[in-house]
Amino acid sequence: MADAGVVEELLRRVERADGGVDSLDVASGLGEEHQLIVGAVKSLQALGDVISAELRSSKHWALTEEGAEIAEQGSHEARVFRSVPSEGLAQAELMVESIEDQVREKLLLVQTGSSSELEEKEKNELKKRKLLSEVTVKSYWITRGSSFSTTITKQEAELTPEMVASGSWREKKFKPYNFEAMGVAPDCGHLHPLLKVRTQFRQIFLEMGFTEMPTNNFIESSFWNFDSLFQPQQHPARDQHDTFFLADPALAHEFPQDYLDRVKRVHSEGGYGSQGYKYDWRIEEAQKNILRTHTTAVSARMLYKLAQQKFTPVKYFSIDRVFRNETLDATHLAEFHQIEGVVADYGLTLGDLMGVLHQFFTKLGITKLRFKPAYNPYTEPSMEVFSYHEGLKKWVEVGNSGVFRPEMLLPMGLPEDVSVIAWGLSLERPTMIKYGINNIRELVGHKVNLQMVYDSPICRLDS
């Protein structure tokens, strides 16, 4: 509620006035800030039809800070003229004996409320010099309402149990309920930026007709994570410097035996048109349990399952966490998310892979793509995918891709004329780019600012 004295004085002035009063005049007459009078008007409006207030706008000219200084001290030219000492510079050398400070005179007219005496051209000239500005003032024209009274009875805002018990509520006057008022925002959970971007990627895969793979097993045996992908047991990625090994349970024991034998054979002896790696493949290495280093282990399980039935073309995708023994820095964590897409069909080629990648990345808003030959143990040919970054003005890597090798697919039991194309990328990198985060540790981990999670907007990829 506004100041009671101001409200009462406002009501008295409205009562004395015939047609109404202007809030600016009331503020001037009371020597108060105009905003205080506006507050009193709002308080009276909340009481019902005590007053009627019409919002009006008017424009007037006002001096800027520099203009007020010139009005007080004179224009810059006049001050220069006055500052010339009589003993330092002969007046004859100035070529003028006196000056008329017209700029100051015009500004004083505005300051005293006589701006109407100036021509529009003169006002615009002063405005151009930033000595004058046109100000829009909003005020209220206040008149009596249908329930006008100079005596204000405070309206109750709440119906209390005491009022109900005593019956005093019958004599009370209550404020009308405002059905338009906004309620208090309820406390609720907030999605992490990673989950928002993940939702967008998932929607893109579903729009392209992909089926989501089950990825709820973070622990994998080395067999499914490495051996089934035709990755040799002496590969550096299988070293403790790159992989987290489990202590308990340390080993896995359940494998499809016939499939395991075929994988062992293609590693150690070759087959299916390959000479293999020619080493002594050991079951002990394949049994070691690890935290999966990529979701391709899930793809291997799904493709093996597909091979055990009559083949039909499929499109799979997964988005989930993987774990690697990385050195932590601004762009690397030991735990991150991998996005993977897999397509299995008859006669797929590298051209099909490029076409699917173009379609996939176009839906992400990435249209400028380049492909660079690369090496992966389980894909041949393999390609790194680069996109032109408009902000950085250079090509940056956005993913990896390839065609799964026959040494991986044929031991599973898939038909020889079936090809499988696949690609993958991280979830963290596009999230960091989307939300302008430079350090991955500010996105994931104990250093995450929860306020960032609350404030981050919904994700909309520019497809």
Side-chain angles (χ1 to χ4, degrees), residues 197-413:
V197 178
R198 183 190 187 281
T199 301
Q200 286 292 294
F201 273 105
R202 185 173 183 272
Q203 185 61 35
I204 287 170
F205 275 116
L206 293 175
E207 288 174 3
M208 293 175 65
F210 281 70
T211 301
E212 189 166 10
M213 295 185 282
T215 55
N216 55 349
N217 50 324
F218 292 162
I219 298 172
E220 275 288 4
S221 66
S222 293
F223 175 79
W224 287 108
N225 197 87
F226 296 120
D227 295 276
S228 65
L229 304 180
F230 196 56
Q231 193 159 333
Q233 293 184 339
Q234 66 271 28
H235 194 280
R238 301 178 69 154
D239 191 80
Q240 288 185 352
H241 295 296
D242 294 295
T243 302
F244 291 109
F245 288 86
L246 265 67
D248 184 24
L251 302 176
H253 300 283
E254 295 184 7
F255 304 102
Q257 190 58 47
D258 56 343
Y259 176 46
L260 184 143
D261 291 339
R262 291 195 294 270
V263 169
K264 175 181 178 180
R265 190 178 309 115
V266 78
H267 274 254
S268 55
E269 302 174 14
Y272 312 103
S274 170
Q275 64 178 7
Y277 291 114
K278 304 296 184 184
Y279 71 97
D280 184 19
W281 187 89
R282 298 172 60 244
I283 183 64
E284 292 80 11
E285 283 293 326
Q287 285 182 300
K288 290 179 180 178
N289 281 328
I290 61 171
L291 291 177
R292 68 180 179 208
T293 62
H294 48 196
T295 52
T296 315
V298 181
S299 301
R301 284 182 177 271
M302 293 298 292
L303 290 172
Y304 173 74
K305 183 178 178 182
L306 178 67
Q308 307 316 301
Q309 56 198 26
K310 184 178 180 181
F311 177 78
T312 53
V314 294
K315 293 190 284 189
Y316 293 138
F317 82 95
S318 65
I319 308 172
D320 212 338
R321 278 182 278 181
V322 296
F323 310 86
R324 294 181 190 174
N325 196 357
E326 299 267 13
T327 301
L328 306 186
D329 58 30
T331 57
H332 293 86
L333 288 178
E335 174 184 347
F336 59 97
H337 290 74
Q338 181 177 331
I339 303 168
E340 183 162 339
V342 176
V343 180
D345 203 348
Y346 293 102
L348 293 177
T349 65
L350 196 65
D352 295 302
L353 175 59
M354 290 180 176
V356 173
L357 288 174
H358 270 291
Q359 183 185 8
F360 176 76
F361 282 103
T362 297
K363 286 182 174 288
L364 300 180
I366 300 173
T367 55
K368 295 182 179 179
L369 291 182
R370 279 183 180 174
F371 303 101
K372 175 186 173 184
Y375 169 76
N376 291 315
Y378 41 89
T379 58
E380 181 60 38
S382 306
M383 299 185 303
E384 291 174 348
V385 186
F386 289 81
S387 167
Y388 187 76
H389 195 294
E390 296 292 347
L392 298 176
K393 301 298 181 186
K394 66 176 185 179
W395 293 87
V396 296
E397 184 181 354
V398 293
N400 210 325
S401 65
V403 182
F404 282 142
R405 297 178 66 118
E407 297 96 325
M408 171 187 165
L409 302 178
L410 295 180
M412 294 177 175

Side-chain angles (χ1 to χ4, degrees), residues 32-44:
E32 298 284 0
E33 292 284 338
H34 181 244
Q35 200 57 39
L36 186 65
I37 306 303
V38 171
V41 172
K42 298 284 188 186
S43 297
L44 290 170

